[in-house]
Amino acid sequence: MESSPLPAATGQQSPAISVTELFTIGIGPSSSHTVGPMRAAHDFARSLREDGIVPARIKCDLYGSLSLTGKGHGTDGAVILGLAGETPEGVDPDAVPALVERIRNEKHLPLGGGEEVPFCEAKDLIFHKSFLPAHPNGMAFTAVLADGSRIVRRYYSIGGGAIRMEGEQPVRANVEIPYPFGSADELLAIGDATGLSIADIVRANEAAWRDDAETDAFLGAVRAAMFGSIDRGCKGDGELPGGLKVQRRAAAMKQKLLDRGPRADPGLVFEWVSLYALAVNEENAVGGRVVTAPTNGAAGVIPAVLKYYETFVHGSTPEGSRKLLYTASAIGFLYKKRASISAAEMGCQGEVGVACSMAAGGLAAALGGTNHQVENAAEIGMEHNLGLTCDPIGGLVQIPCIERNTMGAIKAINAAYLALHGDGRHIVSLDQVIETMRQTGEDMKSKYKETSLGGLAVNVVEC
């Protein structure tokens, strides 16, 4: 039978996004407040070194959400590390405290990993409560030269660890992907016209950047990093840093579950899934290595659902795991293109809500769901996270963030199975729920969007 023509990609004004941009491996506790600022600082230091500039002094001004919750999110240490040439992907999490402490004590840092320049944190790393106009997560880096002149660049941490320098368009290879899509409707139409699954569509698009084996290997590394964070999180104990005296629970919870014997009680499944998410986000809270999926604050949802699929679903396969991640990435692309995954813009609906939506769609695909059932699952995952605020106590990615990931993972599994019981037809579309999330985020007061000025952050007394 002759296939029908592919639909025009009317929503594809923005450049294509790759899975390597959506899933990145970095350190905790926050993609927007730790990973993004580290990348921005690294970029500024690198540009100075490439131009042969050795400043007499270097400084950073943090604004908006980066300032209001920066201390709790480790933004100060992230900036120091980035200026010293470290990257989220490359730095050893265990070495971070000593690296930062040395720079603070010596009041010098190796700019971009090279020549030492003066840096006094008390004078050169300033937190401002005001907001820059372009984004709630703003920062300005200044290189003061020997003659008194200055080089100033502003950056914005726009979610998921991604950064944008003010006045500069995103630099991305001008590739033509075979199946461009800017909406869920377009994505479904491509699948209807070609017979391809959502995972197949994404994999075919990724081939515009690299061969299939390389992309599969990348997702294999993402899976390994996700499961590695679960394993490490299940071994840690003691208090989480930051002063809230939050005790790590994953190790004790795992031992209790093991002591209860074989996993015959169906209710234990949900306890294990909660454990997986809890472990990842406790690891994130101590600055350990996690996958931004799509953010650090929501890093536990997709790993927990993926672990659920591989552990508890009879007949699970490596191909099913890849399908889950490819499909989840397609859903993540839609949120990045049509709204935002930044809690400073959307509240936690843009982080845990998006992760839940991605995981729900990915699991539905791995379980054999049609494209329309996948879209339904993703819609359900977000519909019941609409309006979720981001109000971390003490500016730390701990309360309510850690437990919220367990809820997001359980909700994603529920959404997937609900969708699979239907035939893909439903009232609210994924595009409509994404637009609703965007509008809700814009209407949400800033005090509920990662500023710690409202909600639990002001109603719970810090001890």
Side-chain angles (χ1 to χ4, degrees):
M1 181 183 354
E2 185 176 342
S3 63
S4 58
L6 293 180
T10 56
Q12 185 71 12
Q13 288 88 13
S14 58
I17 304 172
S18 170
V19 295
T20 60
E21 298 170 76
L22 189 71
F23 295 128
T24 60
I25 301 171
I27 61 170
S30 171
S31 47
S32 292
H33 289 60
T34 313
V35 175
M38 192 186 303
R39 286 179 176 153
H42 180 273
D43 184 77
F44 184 66
R46 178 194 53 77
S47 67
L48 293 177
R49 286 202 69 195
E50 288 179 350
D51 292 339
I53 297 171
V54 180
R57 176 187 171 198
I58 195 160
K59 60 176 295 196
C60 174
D61 294 274
L62 299 170
Y63 296 89
S65 179
L66 290 183
S67 172
L68 292 166
T69 61
K71 289 287 187 180
H73 285 75
T75 307
D76 44 359
V79 167
I80 291 170
L81 289 168
L83 290 174
E86 300 290 348
T87 64
E89 299 83 0
V91 70
D92 177 2
D94 294 331
V96 164
L99 284 171
V100 174
E101 189 64 22
R102 181 187 68 78
I103 292 169
R104 284 172 167 159
N105 290 337
E106 296 179 2
K107 295 181 171 56
H108 283 79
L109 59 79
L111 185 67
E115 192 164 345
E116 295 278 336
V117 299
F119 180 82
C120 176
E121 184 175 4
K123 297 178 180 179
D124 297 330
L125 185 56
I126 309 300
F127 292 80
H128 302 271
K129 292 185 178 180
S130 57
F131 287 72
L132 294 180
H135 194 279
N137 293 331
M139 64 202 107
F141 294 93
T142 302
V144 182
L145 307 187
D147 62 3
S149 61
R150 294 172 175 242
I151 299 171
V152 182
R153 290 182 184 168
R154 285 181 175 180
Y155 291 82
Y156 298 95
S157 180
I158 60 175
I163 59 171
R164 182 175 300 147
M165 189 171 76
E166 188 171 82
E168 182 179 72
Q169 294 298 316
V171 178
R172 188 176 290 146
N174 187 24
V175 299
E176 290 189 14
I177 59 176
Y179 304 115
F181 60 90
S183 69
D185 281 350
E186 291 173 357
L187 182 58
L188 290 174
I190 292 169
D192 291 342
T194 63
L196 294 173
S197 70
I198 291 174
D200 289 336
I201 292 168
V202 174
R203 193 166 187 258
N205 285 343
E206 292 298 315
W209 283 284
R210 69 197 77 81
D211 61 43
D212 290 345
E214 188 178 350
T215 304
D216 288 346
F218 168 78
L219 287 183
V222 166
R223 174 197 171 277
M226 287 179 171
F227 286 7
S229 63
I230 292 174
D231 292 341
R232 290 191 303 276
C234 285
K235 296 173 183 174
D237 56 17
E239 283 185 4
L240 296 175
L244 288 182
K245 302 186 184 301
V246 175
Q247 291 288 329
R248 297 185 70 157
R249 291 178 282 173
M253 184 175 173
K254 180 179 180 180
Q255 189 56 54
K256 287 181 180 178
L257 288 171
L258 290 173
D259 290 344
R260 288 165 70 175
R263 305 170 194 177
D265 178 1
L268 287 178
V269 173
F270 297 104
E271 294 187 53
W272 280 99
V273 172
S274 294
L275 167 65
Y276 302 148
L278 193 78
V280 173
N281 285 86
E282 287 183 351
E283 187 66 14
N284 179 64
V286 299
R289 193 166 301 288
V290 297
V291 178
T292 58
T295 67
N296 282 35
V301 177
I302 293 177
V305 174
L306 181 61
K307 183 77 169 176
Y308 161 80
Y309 168 73
E310 293 194 10
T311 305
F312 292 101
V313 173
H314 178 70
S316 63
T317 64
E319 176 58 32
S321 295
R322 284 192 295 271
K323 180 177 285 189
L324 189 156
L325 292 174
Y326 273 119
T327 305
S329 68
I331 296 162
F333 298 161
L334 295 174
Y335 283 99
K336 289 197 72 171
K337 290 180 179 182
R338 302 180 72 84
S340 171
I341 59 171
S342 169
E345 289 186 293
M346 295 288 112
C348 198
Q349 60 174 357
E351 293 204 24
V352 167
V354 171
C356 177
S357 182
M358 292 169 63
L363 179 60
L367 294 173
T370 67
N371 289 351
H372 289 264
Q373 288 173 319
V374 166
E375 185 261 356
N376 189 11
E379 182 277 323
I380 295 171
M382 173 52 73
E383 185 177 336
H384 303 289
N385 279 292
L386 289 174
L388 194 61
T389 62
C390 180
D391 52 355
I393 297 174
L396 298 164
V397 192
Q398 296 179 18
I399 304 173
C401 318
I402 294 173
E403 288 182 355
R404 189 166 283 174
N405 275 258
T406 72
M407 303 300 166
I410 297 297
K411 195 176 291 186
I413 295 170
N414 189 20
Y417 283 109
L418 281 173
L420 292 175
H421 279 295
D423 61 5
R425 289 178 292 183
H426 53 110
I427 303 300
V428 181
S429 73
L430 178 56
D431 287 333
Q432 289 168 335
V433 86
I434 293 174
E435 175 58 18
T436 303
M437 186 202 81
R438 186 192 66 78
Q439 293 175 6
T440 303
E442 289 188 355
D443 291 342
M444 192 183 291
K445 291 183 178 180
S446 63
K447 69 179 182 179
Y448 298 118
K449 295 191 287 189
E450 210 168 8
T451 60
S452 287
L453 297 175
L456 288 175
V458 298
N459 286 305
V460 177
V461 178
E462 296 176 40
C463 301

